[in-house]
Amino acid sequence: MSACHIHPPAFEDRIFRGLPLAGLLLATLAASLGGPQVSTLLAPLPWIISLAVVGLPHGAADLALAQRLCVGPLSRRVFGLYLVAIGAVLALFIILPGPLVVLFTALSVWHFGLGHADGQRPPIPAEVWPQVRAAVARGASVLGVPMACWPLATSQVVLELLSLVGTTATLDMAGWFAPTGIGHVGIAMVVVAACALAAEAIASRHVPGAMRRSWDTLVDLSIIGLVGVVADPLFSIGFYFLFWHAWRHMRLLAFPVARIGTSDPTSLGRALLRLHRAALPLLIPTWIALLSGWWLLSPHHTARDLAILSLAVYLVVTPSHDLLVDLFRVRSRSESIPGGNRHPDVFSLKVL
């Protein structure tokens, strides 16, 4: 296997790995020097930026992605199911808010973890267990570290969310999200993530390039974890979402949605502009709904309330978004190339 099949191009590695890791280190330094008060004060900022740049737009590009994956009436049926799923999750969130938050946490581990694995070389095998192992290894500690280090603040975010959306079960849910329980679950998630990464390294030790992939992943997660240790959880997870997860997904979506690669500064700029433009048909209604909810539900119209309400949006839309991205991964893997190493970021124009 040649080196080009193992390592991503140098420019993309710098932009989609080196740059966000540098940003995470700077955030860690700033939070360490400023203390907990500073990260708490700035906690809404990454979520608010995400509403317009990279974060929410990367999910709002789903309509364009569905149109690229399927042709004609099939794309309309796929997107119709996408909207039905959003409606179903919204109804369940109103009826069963506690269980939905728990399920959303589990889904976030899967979504963040596989999003981290996208673009890594060599690709994770398509079989179920390697995919689950990879998702847990990369996604569980992202949420587990803030939960373990900031259990009270994490509990407050969840209860604020339930209170803002007006669920009558907020008081009943306090026991579900007690700080002690959140702390214990967070520790367990970090342990499970470490075990999964070790299991992946052992299982793939004979695959060329896999050991470097495991070490790179360990470095990534260590830097991500540092932010989770020193910064308010709303800030650390928001910063991770904006600067790591959503930003790296831009590379995943560039070819199928923008029909251009990200191998140099010019193509990257064009891809970002096209992706944001493609997101507008879903982005604008989402902005209207979110800002209307913020105006009606937030007593003092604070930036923190807007950030927390944006979490409700992600809770409702992420299941549909994740299913569409998983469909994209499956579709891209079905396109064979010599050696069988098809990967989502080299999705064939023939499919489009």
Side-chain angles (χ1 to χ4, degrees), residues 9-351:
F11 175 77
E12 292 187 328
D13 191 47
R14 289 195 300 270
I15 293 298
F16 292 105
R17 181 168 182 259
L19 182 63
L21 287 179
L24 287 161
L25 284 172
L26 287 174
T28 301
L29 179 62
S32 299
L33 294 176
Q37 297 83 1
V38 171
S39 65
T40 300
L41 180 65
L42 297 178
L45 188 59
W47 295 104
I48 292 174
I49 293 173
S50 295
L51 294 178
V53 180
V54 177
L56 188 59
H58 98 275
D62 284 349
L63 174 58
L65 181 61
Q67 291 171 336
R68 301 293 190 266
L69 283 173
C70 310
V71 179
L74 181 58
S75 68
R76 291 191 289 273
R77 287 198 293 271
V78 168
F79 196 69
L81 291 172
Y82 175 98
L83 295 177
V84 168
I86 287 178
V89 174
L90 176 60
L92 287 173
F93 182 44
I94 293 171
I95 298 169
L96 299 169
L100 254 293
V101 170
V102 174
L103 289 174
F104 175 65
T105 302
L107 179 61
S108 296
V109 169
W110 172 265
H111 188 63
F112 287 162
L114 288 188
H116 191 150
D118 288 329
Q120 289 189 314
R121 293 292 186 272
I124 302 298
E127 290 78 12
V128 172
W129 169 237
Q131 292 281 308
V132 172
R133 185 176 58 203
V136 172
R138 291 158 180 79
S141 66
V142 170
L143 300 179
V145 169
M147 290 168 64
C149 296
W150 297 76
L152 178 60
T154 303
S155 174
Q156 289 173 340
V157 168
V158 177
L159 295 178
E160 285 178 61
L161 170 62
L162 296 177
S163 177
L164 277 172
V165 298
T167 65
T168 58
T170 303
L171 293 177
D172 296 335
M173 290 296 102
W176 281 60
F177 305 107
T180 301
I182 285 178
H184 291 159
V185 171
I187 293 170
M189 290 172 70
V190 173
V191 171
V192 169
C195 292
L197 185 59
E200 179 181 289
I202 293 169
S204 60
R205 62 190 180 278
H206 299 305
V207 178
M211 189 54 65
R212 172 169 175 167
R213 181 189 66 198
S214 296
W215 280 113
D216 286 349
T217 302
L218 181 60
V219 171
D220 297 345
L221 294 174
S222 297
I223 293 174
I224 292 167
L226 286 175
V227 187
V229 170
V230 303
D232 180 276
L234 189 63
F235 177 85
S236 64
I237 295 175
F239 202 90
Y240 163 84
F241 172 72
L242 175 61
F243 279 82
W244 182 268
H245 172 74
W247 176 242
R248 285 169 63 87
H249 252 191
M250 286 292 178
R251 178 177 180 239
L252 178 76
L253 297 172
F255 205 84
V257 174
R259 302 196 182 198
I260 190 171
T262 55
S263 57
D264 59 75
T266 301
S267 61
L268 173 63
R270 289 177 180 171
L272 292 176
L273 287 173
R274 292 180 185 180
L275 280 164
H276 282 77
R277 184 173 61 194
L280 288 175
L282 281 182
L283 198 56
I284 292 174
T286 305
W287 285 340
I288 293 172
L290 177 59
L291 291 174
S292 298
W294 179 60
W295 184 258
L296 294 171
L297 300 175
S298 173
H300 304 292
H301 306 122
T302 63
R304 182 178 176 88
D305 283 352
L306 180 59
I308 289 177
L309 283 172
S310 75
L311 289 175
V313 172
Y314 294 121
L315 184 150
V316 170
V317 304
T318 294
S320 294
H321 169 65
D322 183 73
L323 285 172
L324 190 61
V325 171
D326 284 345
L327 174 62
F328 168 55
R329 292 189 182 105
V330 171
R331 183 72 178 272
S332 63
R333 282 195 293 261
S334 70
E335 290 293 293
S336 60
I337 61 171
N341 288 310
R342 197 63 172 169
H343 198 262
D345 59 358
V346 286
F347 197 72
S348 172
L349 277 173
K350 183 170 62 178
V351 177

